[in-house]
Amino acid sequence: MKSLISCSAVMAMLLAFSSAVMAGDTLVSQGKMMGRSYHQQLYTKHQCATCHGVDKPVSRAADDSCLKCHSVDKLAQQTARQGDEQWQNPHNNLHYGKDVPCTECHGEHAVKQPICKDCHTFKFSKFQE
Amino acid sequence: MNKIDFLTRRNFIKGLGATGVAFAAPGMANAIVADDSIHWDEQVEMAIIGSGFAGLAAGIEATKHGCKAVTIYEKMAVYGGNSAINGGLFAAPNTPLQKEKGIQDSVDTMVADQLKSGRGVADEKLLRHIASHASDALQMTIDAGAEYYPYLQQLGGHSVPRTYQTKVSCGAGITQPLVRECRKLGVKLQNRSKFEGFILGKDAAVIGIRIRYPYYFEDENSGKLLHIRASKGVLMATGGFAQNVNLRMAQDPTLTAEVGCTNAKGATGEGMLEMFRLGAIPVHLAYIQSGPWASPDEGGFGYVSNYAIFNFPHSIAVNCLTGKRFMNEIADRKTRADAELACRDSAGKPLPPIMITSYAHAKEHPTCENVLKYGVGWKFDDLQSIAKRFNIPLQPLQQQVDEYNAYVKDGEDKQFGKSMAKAKGMYIQAPYTVVRLWPKVHYCQGGVQVNANAEVLDSNTGKAIKGLYAAGEVCGGIHGVSRLGSCAIPECMVMGMTAARSIMGA
């Protein structure tokens, strides 16, 4: 936490947690910034370019960068729901199908909430902030 | 006075060879005039701003008329705009389902219904144009794969059943198939693309647009500005401005940030404002529809809206501070929205009222299950529990329920004059279901004036602004004071298709 370089990331976290500042289980310190525990190799090897395309990023990663490793079809299978909840599958949902860019719900360097929560009270028990 | 004179009068700065464009002074028009040295980042025949019903229908129709390069630019991360979260209700006359059910309807009948709701200031010519082509537009959605319930509904203000609804009860049941169809036909869709202004030719025609890409919503410095050349035309399909609190309050000061909104976050109206700066005619901006059937416990239109619309006739709405009714539960939308907004705690803060319904009656509607399942409504065994949960004085509440049940018995509401015809024999009895109510801004009847070619008209000349077209909620004056339910989708679809045909000279 002490070496966070991104002001906006700090703000986002403070806003999200106000008094109790704590991250989701997989969001951990990666040295200079917060990052997902399962991406640790990218941080230790300074491979920012894997997602951002350049070694010293100044802008957000492109929408399709996660898809180099993660398959939206497989994710949709893993989060499939049954019956009247069929279209509450976040990776293949009623409003946008499989088109929602990953980073709309998942933050690599900061906590985020599923965009479904903008309107709905659906439970996503496996979601990692 | 032509448009260039108009712009000059507003300190419009002309021609800077070095950059190829001239920027207006800060706070002035964002349109720029291209000169010979302008660098175009992309070239298309038709540029569409917004990926709701109107934009998607226009993209598909344009390719049918030979358009080889059409791109839909969407500001948000996801496609479909407000259409993707709408109710999926589509009114049209002379449809296959009407024929199958033996329902007599006509363009004239549908237009007459809409004129009545428009209270004398709707645009009859445009309503007629839309009603005349509504069944073609419906067919376009079916051809693309949209699926509808096998029955028609008769919504408020419609004289016959003429409303289809998608099987998912949502506009996404149309936008998703249309997005797929666009991709199939080669219509390019580009998200995170924010419209930032027009680019004008030397004759003041719209010849292109500036797009900020990749744009991350509410980060106004994200992305870079691109110059897009649109050789045949630009279609503004940018939707309403219900999410723009300052702009809606400028029209109606009661629509403060305390009032909710059913719309997608991107419905902020800057595309419309840019057309006004260029010279478009503002029409009916103050006619903004709020829904008194919405809930503060969920976002958007939610589950409660349909639930409340169904249950209002046989329910009571109660002010939590007093334990008493405060309105006729089936008065017009504006009356009820104002009455709900007046429900305040002793410090003047919003105190959303509750609607109490007999569970036996509430469960007759399919959304009751969802309302309870997703915790936006609750079931109670007695009035004591309701009073305790919502901090309502019990005695007045008990008295109110008894009083109201006497009105049900007598068929006359002595408190608010509500028509008790639909509440016959429907007493408020345990067990109860309760939802909280708070109005949400729902639809903007106002916008830019267009003609039946979807051309945007100039406030100086009254003639079409060359190269500029608009379709959907961004347009104003079509519905007049109040739009009938299920009439937005045909308007968006038909006017989007119309714009495409105009642009392609078909």
Side-chain angles (χ1 to χ4, degrees), chain B residues 118-419:
Chain B
R119 292 169 176 76
V121 293
D123 189 322
E124 183 171 355
K125 196 175 170 194
L126 282 171
L127 288 176
R128 194 167 295 281
H129 172 76
I130 293 160
S132 303
H133 295 88
S135 62
D136 297 340
L138 179 72
Q139 194 57 48
M140 175 191 269
T141 70
I142 293 169
D143 291 344
E147 292 184 311
Y148 294 91
Y149 292 126
Y151 53 82
L152 292 169
Q153 298 175 57
Q154 182 174 353
L155 270 58
H158 291 270
S159 57
V160 297
R162 63 164 71 95
T163 297
Y164 280 66
Q165 186 170 29
T166 60
K167 280 188 176 170
V168 290
S169 300
C170 179
I174 296 170
T175 57
Q176 284 285 292
L178 294 186
V179 165
R180 283 195 290 272
E181 186 72 6
C182 279
R183 286 179 174 145
K184 201 170 102 188
L185 295 170
V187 176
K188 193 177 159 200
L189 289 147
Q190 188 176 298
N191 70 344
R192 302 200 195 277
S193 299
K194 189 190 184 203
F195 167 78
E196 291 242 337
F198 297 107
I199 300 175
L200 308 179
K202 288 186 179 121
D203 61 348
V206 172
I207 62 165
I209 49 172
R210 289 191 297 156
I211 289 288
R212 184 173 287 279
Y213 176 83
Y215 170 74
Y216 288 77
F217 185 59
E218 290 182 329
D219 179 356
E220 300 310 316
N221 294 319
S222 54
K224 291 195 172 98
L225 279 177
L226 302 177
H227 294 157
I228 315 292
R229 174 84 170 100
S231 60
K232 290 198 158 85
V234 172
L235 170 61
M236 298 297 285
T238 50
F241 58 90
Q243 286 282 15
N244 186 331
V245 175
N246 287 338
L247 184 53
R248 74 191 200 204
M249 279 184 72
Q251 318 304 323
D252 180 346
T254 67
L255 301 178
T256 65
E258 281 180 2
V259 185
C261 184
T262 62
N263 283 204
K265 285 179 181 173
T268 46
E270 59 269 18
M272 176 187 74
L273 295 177
E274 200 49 40
M275 286 193 278
F276 292 153
R277 289 193 192 98
L278 195 66
I281 303 172
V283 190
H284 294 173
L285 290 183
Y287 294 149
I288 302 172
Q289 203 173 61
S290 293
W293 20 249
S295 161
D297 297 306
E298 58 185 349
F301 190 75
Y303 292 116
V304 171
S305 299
N306 275 325
Y307 168 91
I309 290 166
F310 174 81
N311 285 301
F312 267 130
H314 48 264
S315 301
I316 54 170
V318 170
N319 183 334
C320 294
L321 190 67
T322 63
K324 295 288 184 190
R325 287 171 74 212
F326 60 96
M327 66 175 184
N328 168 358
E329 291 84 357
I330 52 173
D332 68 62
R333 284 179 173 183
K334 175 75 175 153
T335 304
R336 287 180 292 169
D338 288 346
E340 289 171 8
L341 285 175
C343 290
R344 305 269 157 176
D345 66 14
S346 51
K349 288 190 178 141
L351 183 64
I354 60 167
M355 180 173 85
I356 305 177
T357 312
S358 294
Y359 174 65
H361 305 141
K363 71 175 167 50
E364 293 301 309
H365 195 272
T367 56
C368 180
E369 206 179 307
N370 285 331
V371 162
L372 296 174
K373 178 175 176 181
Y374 296 111
V376 293
W378 310 271
K379 198 172 160 195
F380 295 94
D381 289 328
D382 48 53
L383 289 177
Q384 284 86 338
S385 311
I386 296 176
K388 197 174 164 205
R389 168 73 177 265
F390 299 100
N391 200 19
I392 302 170
L394 176 60
Q395 211 185 347
L397 176 64
Q398 180 72 61
Q399 209 179 348
Q400 174 65 79
V401 171
D402 293 343
E403 219 174 288
Y404 178 82
N405 280 337
Y407 305 152
V408 175
K409 193 176 172 212
D410 299 342
E412 189 194 348
D413 171 15
K414 294 199 178 85
Q415 260 178 310
F416 292 101
K418 169 182 175 177
S419 163

Side-chain angles (χ1 to χ4, degrees), chain A residues 47-108:
Chain A
Q47 290 173 332
C48 302
T50 306
C51 304
H52 290 273
V54 290
D55 288 335
K56 291 181 178 170
V58 289
S59 58
R60 295 167 177 86
D63 279 346
D64 58 1
S65 52
C66 309
L67 302 177
K68 285 189 234 164
C69 300
H70 302 274
S71 149
V72 71
D73 290 325
K74 277 189 187 159
L75 288 164
Q77 279 173 16
Q78 285 168 18
T79 55
R81 294 186 173 212
Q82 305 303 318
D84 64 344
E85 295 186 3
Q86 182 199 345
W87 286 111
Q88 293 172 20
N89 182 347
H91 299 112
N92 187 15
N93 62 81
L94 175 71
H95 303 289
Y96 311 114
K98 296 176 180 175
D99 279 347
V100 183
C102 309
T103 56
E104 287 299 292
C105 307
H106 303 290
E108 173 60 25

Side-chain angles (χ1 to χ4, degrees), chain B residues 45-67:
Chain B
E45 287 181 78
M46 181 175 171
I48 300 171
I49 319 299
S51 64
F53 298 125
L56 295 168
I60 293 167
E61 188 70 6
T63 60
K64 284 185 182 167
H65 292 281
C67 188

